[in-house]
Amino acid sequence: MKLLLQIFTWWSGQTIGTRFHTWRHGQKVGQDEFGNVYYQGGTDSEGRTRRWVIYADYAEASAIPPGWHGWMHHRTDVPPSQENYVAREWQKPHRPNPTGTPAAYRPQGSLLASGERPRVTGDYDAWTPGA
């Protein structure tokens, strides 16, 4: 069943192309606390080492922890698996993107929220044609 998901979907784990590229060029660098596995190998169009992640679950870019995010975007050459990485006190733990769920932000007066839209302050003039 997992193989069929990988053949017919791009959002679940890895695709067949990623599987082939990982098998051919990939060198495992490490794994984060969510089960995402990080690889490097080959070069990109700018001559840098290509880096990629195979997600443990759905492909959601916000699920990459801060330390791995810095490594993925070539901000650091040392991956968190090869150093004693400790998150800074201002770095928050991962929270999934709530867009499209009941936990999404809905301002007062929107169609899916209760309440009435706040009155405008009068500092805005609507555009009218020919004016």
Side-chain angles (χ1 to χ4, degrees):
M1 183 66 167
K2 191 170 183 171
L3 181 64
L4 289 176
L5 278 174
Q6 291 179 0
I7 292 172
F8 295 109
T9 63
W10 57 264
W11 59 84
S12 181
Q14 60 182 325
T15 62
I16 293 299
T18 305
R19 178 185 288 253
F20 179 73
H21 184 76
T22 303
W23 169 76
R24 190 134 185 246
H25 302 286
Q27 171 192 358
K28 184 178 176 180
V29 176
Q31 184 171 348
D32 65 18
E33 62 267 19
F34 302 118
N36 301 326
V37 183
Y38 298 88
Y39 293 91
Q40 69 179 2
T43 56
D44 63 9
S45 61
E46 296 177 10
R48 300 177 302 187
T49 303
R50 184 177 300 246
R51 297 172 178 175
W52 67 95
V53 59
I54 296 179
Y55 296 97
D57 197 18
Y58 289 113
E60 181 190 350
S62 68
I64 296 177
W68 283 105
H69 182 270
W71 179 80
M72 288 284 295
H73 292 277
H74 296 275
R75 293 184 180 144
T76 179
D77 291 331
V78 181
S81 61
Q82 295 177 4
E83 67 178 357
N84 189 13
Y85 177 79
V86 178
R88 305 264 179 2
E89 65 273 358
W90 47 264
Q91 291 174 327
K92 296 182 178 182
H94 171 68
R95 236 181 54 201
N97 185 346
T99 303
T101 69
Y105 172 69
R106 294 183 174 95
Q108 186 178 0
S110 72
L111 295 176
L112 296 174
S114 61
E116 194 172 312
R117 183 176 166 212
R119 305 219 21 103
V120 285
T121 61
D123 61 352
Y124 172 77
D125 293 324
W127 176 81
T128 52

